[in-house]
């Protein structure tokens, strides 16, 4: 077991380069199964979830190797469409392999994906959509057997909620299906557009990604290509927030500006100066941050649930009251107890959390309970008086590559210790 030990109080200063987005890398890795020949995904973050996806690819008979930040996959001859339970349980996103395997092999046997710390995460929208496309799905005690003996067929699918994973699974199943698939109320997250861009580069016919209606015309085959994964907007906001909470000055490199437009105004309202130049974002924090009135998590282009925890950490030391409303997941306030232990004043009632900013946090021994809550505690530790220890770092390693090195390079006093 490892923990991060942080001595707070240093204003961060310097440059932070961004790697590719985890939430894009995982569906892209699943998509490589659909492609004949070799695919190279560049700018791929070295994260435990990415390694899990590579293990699934290898298990299905694809050749998969990772060198530095490039993953090369050859899916010429996948020889099984079965993913064992242990691999499925390693991460929630293993479910995107369902659409890809069905699309390429016409069948798959998988298990319900790993349990989740954020509350129930059903996959009914995924399964309903694939059934409508002609998949026969049998459920046996946690196992799913899916067959499409006559191949998948395009159809109209209306999602009752714009689920990111369901939209991705349908796209993966539809690119090689017969006819046209139209997804209405589709997710509009930038990672959906990244998946569509990749699939188009491989030969797929997709229109409307980034909008509510996505149209996909099935093609006979896809060919692998070289593709650069989009930068990680959630990691980007996390690092800018680290600059904000410490009163620092940071420059984030390798960013596509528009992908963060739904969160940067929040940092600006809190008093940070943000300047953009080309692919860089520059943040200069004020001496004392200001609260922002109300933040409601919503599907893109709304305020993302994935930054709720880190922005909450920032608001714990801002002057005034910030009200959060979490509308995407049921249990996404698990960082609150630890923040309160560090001196924050937060009151939770149902989906609402009211944060009254305090002047200073104090170091404490806390544990990450999920990926983004772990990042929030690291940020709180950077701003707190004294020493903070964050246990259960494996949650953080799922989504932040070498977080301690990146923060140390901009002046943080942070160490990883193996217990
Ligand atoms: C993705 C992201 C995750 C992010 C989330 C919301 C990846 C790898 N993960 O997760 O970081 O927090 O989007 O932006 O990209 N739902 C159903 N039935 C379904 C599917 C979803 O009810 O079949 C519900 C979920 O319980 C949840 C909501 O829809 O309440 C959002 O889920 P979804 O958009 O599917 O999130 P993920 O794709 O799992």
């Amino acid at each position: 077991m490892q923990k991060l030990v942080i001595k707070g109080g240093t204003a961060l200063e310097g440059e932070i380069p961004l790697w590719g987005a985890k939430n894009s890398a995982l569906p892209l890795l699943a998509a490589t199964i659909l492609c004949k020949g070799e695919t190279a995904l560049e700018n791929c973050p070295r994260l435990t979830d990415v390694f899990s996806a590579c293990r699934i690819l290898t298990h299905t008979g694809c050749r998969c190797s990772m060198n530095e930040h490039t993953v090369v996959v050859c899916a010429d001859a996948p020889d099984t469409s079965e993913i064992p339970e242990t691999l499925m349980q390693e991460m929630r996103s293993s479910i995107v392999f369902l659409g890809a395997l069905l699309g390429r092999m016409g069948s798959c046997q998988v298990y319900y994906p790993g349990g989740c710390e954020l509350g129930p995460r059903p996959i009914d929208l995924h399964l309903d959509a694939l059934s409508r496309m002609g998949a026969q799905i049998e459920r046996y005690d946690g196992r799913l057997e899916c067959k499409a003996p006559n191949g998948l067929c395009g159809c109209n699918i209306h999602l009752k909620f714009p689920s990111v994973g369901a939209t991705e699974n349908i796209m993966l199943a539809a690119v090689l299906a017969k006819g046209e698939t139209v997804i209405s109320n589709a997710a509009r997250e930038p990672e959906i557009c990244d998946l569509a861009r990749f699939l188009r580069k491989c030969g797929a016919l997709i229109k409307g990604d980034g909008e509510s209606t996505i149209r996909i015309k099935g093609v006979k085959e896809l060919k692998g290509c070289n593709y650069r994964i989009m930068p990680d907007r959630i990691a980007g906001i996390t690092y800018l927030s680290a600059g904000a909470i410490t009163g620092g000055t940071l420059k984030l490199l390798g960013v596509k500006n528009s992908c963060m437009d739904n969160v940067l105004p929040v940092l600006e309202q809190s008093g940070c100066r943000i300047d953009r130049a080309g692919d860089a974002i520059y943040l200069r924090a004020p001496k004392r941050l200001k609260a922002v009135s109300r933040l409601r998590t919503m599907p893109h282009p709304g305020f993302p649930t994935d930054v709720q925890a880190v922005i909450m950490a920032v608001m714990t030391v801002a002057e005034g009251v910030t009200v959060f409303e979490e509308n995407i997941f049921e249990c996404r306030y698990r960082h609150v107890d630890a923040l309160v232990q560090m001196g924050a004043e937060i009151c939770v009632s149902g989906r609402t959390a009211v944060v009254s900013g305090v002047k200073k946090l104090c170091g404490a021994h806390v544990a990450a309970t999920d990926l983004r809550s772990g990042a929030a505690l690291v940020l709180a530790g950077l701003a707190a008086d004294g020493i903070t220890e964050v246990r259960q770092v494996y949650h953080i390693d799922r989504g932040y590559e070498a977080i301690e090195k990146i923060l140390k390079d901009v002046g943080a006093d942070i160490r990883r210790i193996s217990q």
Side-chain angles (χ1 to χ4, degrees):
M1 290 292 256
Q2 298 185 324
K3 62 183 177 184
L4 293 172
V5 179
I6 305 158
K7 186 169 175 227
T10 311
L12 302 187
E13 205 172 308
E15 296 184 349
I16 293 188
L18 268 193
W19 294 115
K22 167 184 90 77
N23 286 357
S24 193
L26 301 175
L28 289 177
L29 284 164
T32 62
I33 287 197
L34 294 163
C35 303
K36 298 257 170 73
E38 210 171 77
T39 299
L41 295 177
E42 296 157 15
N43 200 29
C44 190
R46 295 184 64 85
L47 302 169
T48 47
D49 274 9
V50 164
F51 303 146
S52 296
C54 290
R55 275 194 288 278
I56 291 178
L57 286 168
T58 306
H59 174 85
T60 57
C62 300
R63 274 194 285 116
C64 176
S65 58
M66 185 164 195
N67 189 1
E68 303 279 329
H69 288 89
T70 300
V71 179
V72 177
V73 182
C74 178
D76 273 339
D79 54 16
T80 175
S81 60
E82 180 259 338
I83 306 178
E85 190 169 14
T86 44
L87 284 178
M88 283 299 290
Q89 294 279 327
E90 282 184 14
M91 59 168 179
R92 154 87 194 173
S93 303
S94 53
I95 197 64
V96 279
F97 279 88
L98 183 62
L101 282 170
L102 261 178
R104 174 72 189 268
M105 320 251 309
S107 72
C108 70
Q109 300 83 47
V110 299
Y111 290 79
Y112 278 87
C116 180
E117 309 83 14
L118 309 180
R121 286 177 86 170
I123 53 169
D124 54 315
L125 300 175
H126 305 234
L127 301 182
D128 289 352
L130 295 172
S131 302
R132 283 179 58 83
M133 295 178 75
Q136 297 163 5
I137 303 178
E138 307 271 0
R139 300 164 175 81
Y140 306 93
D141 198 20
R143 190 162 57 94
L144 291 168
E145 289 210 355
C146 313
K147 279 188 220 129
N150 305 316
L152 294 171
C153 291
C155 64
N156 292 346
I157 296 165
H158 177 81
L159 292 175
K160 68 174 193 251
F161 181 87
S163 154
V164 176
T167 303
E168 289 165 349
N169 244 333
I170 301 166
M171 289 167 72
L172 293 169
V175 281
L176 293 179
K178 291 182 207 116
E180 187 179 39
T181 302
V182 180
I183 315 172
S184 54
N185 199 27
R188 292 184 282 163
E189 269 67 3
E191 291 77 15
I192 298 283
C193 301
D194 209 34
L195 177 61
R197 270 192 299 271
F198 167 74
L199 289 168
R200 272 194 292 268
K201 201 167 178 196
C202 299
L205 298 175
I206 305 175
K207 281 190 178 152
D209 44 293
E211 295 162 25
S212 288
T213 304
I214 302 179
R215 292 172 190 278
I216 304 158
K217 281 199 180 116
V219 295
K220 287 243 153 46
E221 105 175 358
L222 297 181
K223 288 212 173 74
C225 67
N226 285 9
Y227 188 78
R228 188 171 175 82
I229 300 172
M230 66 173 274
D232 196 322
R233 62 193 171 106
I234 307 298
I237 290 295
T238 305
Y239 292 126
L240 289 176
S241 300
I245 199 171
T246 60
T249 308
L250 282 183
K251 190 173 177 188
L252 202 59
L253 303 173
V255 187
K256 279 188 188 155
N257 292 341
S258 60
C259 292
M260 298 188 194
D261 282 355
N262 47 355
V263 188
L264 291 177
V266 173
L267 291 172
E268 281 174 323
Q269 284 160 34
S270 74
C272 295
R273 176 165 174 185
I274 308 261
D275 290 302
R276 304 160 211 218
D279 268 5
I281 294 181
Y282 181 84
L283 173 138
R284 180 186 290 274
K287 279 216 163 58
R288 177 95 200 264
L289 295 159
K290 287 181 296 203
V292 293
S293 52
R294 197 174 184 92
L295 292 169
R296 308 170 69 230
T297 65
M298 298 293 277
H300 194 80
F303 181 73
T305 177
D306 281 348
V307 301
Q308 178 253 103
V310 295
I311 296 292
M312 187 181 292
V314 172
M315 293 306 156
T316 60
V317 290
E319 191 172 7
V321 175
T322 306
V323 178
F324 287 82
E325 190 182 304
E326 172 57 54
N327 295 304
I328 309 293
F329 291 107
E330 276 178 33
C331 295
R332 212 159 193 182
Y333 285 140
R334 295 183 69 204
H335 42 284
V336 166
D337 284 352
L339 289 173
V340 168
Q341 203 184 324
M342 296 177 74
E345 284 182 17
I346 307 172
C347 223
V348 175
S349 168
R351 55 177 69 224
T352 304
V354 179
V355 181
S356 309
V358 295
K359 283 222 167 93
K360 255 303 178 196
L361 297 173
C362 49
H365 289 196
V366 291
T369 49
D370 62 77
L371 167 57
R372 307 300 171 189
S373 83
L377 300 183
V378 171
L379 264 53
L382 292 172
D385 273 342
I387 306 282
T388 296
E389 291 193 7
V390 182
R391 299 187 309 280
Q392 298 180 181
V393 184
Y394 57 85
H395 285 297
I396 301 174
D397 293 334
R398 288 186 39 229
Y400 296 91
E401 179 176 335
I403 191 168
E404 74 282 13
K405 181 179 179 316
I406 287 190
L407 292 172
K408 202 186 276 184
D409 284 351
V410 290
D413 187 337
I414 177 169
R415 285 173 300 146
R416 182 184 289 255
I417 290 184
S418 295
Q419 289 169 301

